[in-house]
Amino acid sequence: MTVYGIVIAATKDLPDVAGDRIGGIETFATRLGTRRVAAAASAVLGLNYVAAAATALLAPTGAFRTLPMLVGHAAAAVWLGRSWLKLDPDSEDSIKRFYGQIWNLFYYEYVLYLFL
C-alpha cells in the first residue's frame, strides 16, 4: 500500500495542472508534464504488480492463494495499462479519469486482499 501512497501523492496534482501553472504553484506535473508524471506513476505501479505476481509464484506454499494473487494483479496491471494508454495529457477530463482510475485500483487492491 506504500507504493499506492507514493503514486497517489505523485499524481494528485495532475487534474489541476492548468490552475497550478496560473497560480505559479510548482508540482511534479507542472515541472515534468502530465504525460511524464503519469508514465512514471504507471511504471512504478506496474512494477509493483509484477512484484506481487512474482511473490505469488515464489512465496512458500500456503503463504498466499497463488491463483487469485497472480490473476488479480495481472488484471490490475492490464487495467492500469489501458488507463494510461487512454490518457490524453491535453484533456482535463482525460486526466481526471486517469487519476480516478488510480484510486479505483487502490480500492480494488483492498478487495483483492480478501481473496489472498
Side-chain angles (χ1 to χ4, degrees):
M1 297 318 284
T2 301
V3 172
Y4 279 102
I6 292 166
V7 168
I8 288 169
T11 58
K12 71 178 179 57
D13 295 316
L14 291 178
D16 193 32
V17 171
D20 288 345
R21 284 190 178 129
I22 291 168
I25 299 168
E26 192 170 310
T27 66
F28 282 130
T30 59
R31 276 189 304 194
L32 303 174
T34 302
R35 172 69 71 183
R36 279 187 181 166
V37 172
S42 295
V44 168
L45 198 51
L47 287 172
N48 190 54
Y49 293 141
V50 169
T55 299
L57 296 172
L58 301 173
T61 304
F64 299 101
R65 292 184 183 156
T66 303
L67 190 60
M69 186 153 173
L70 188 61
V71 172
H73 287 99
V78 169
W79 181 353
L80 173 65
R82 287 191 57 188
S83 297
W84 186 77
L85 289 173
K86 289 181 179 181
L87 174 65
D88 175 1
D90 299 319
S91 165
E92 190 174 325
D93 286 339
S94 179
I95 294 166
K96 286 179 181 179
R97 278 192 303 275
F98 175 79
Y99 181 62
Q101 291 307 310
I102 297 295
W103 274 102
N104 288 339
L105 284 161
F106 175 77
Y107 300 132
Y108 169 79
E109 190 73 27
Y110 271 108
V111 172
L112 185 58
Y113 280 154
L114 300 173
F115 300 98
L116 304 181

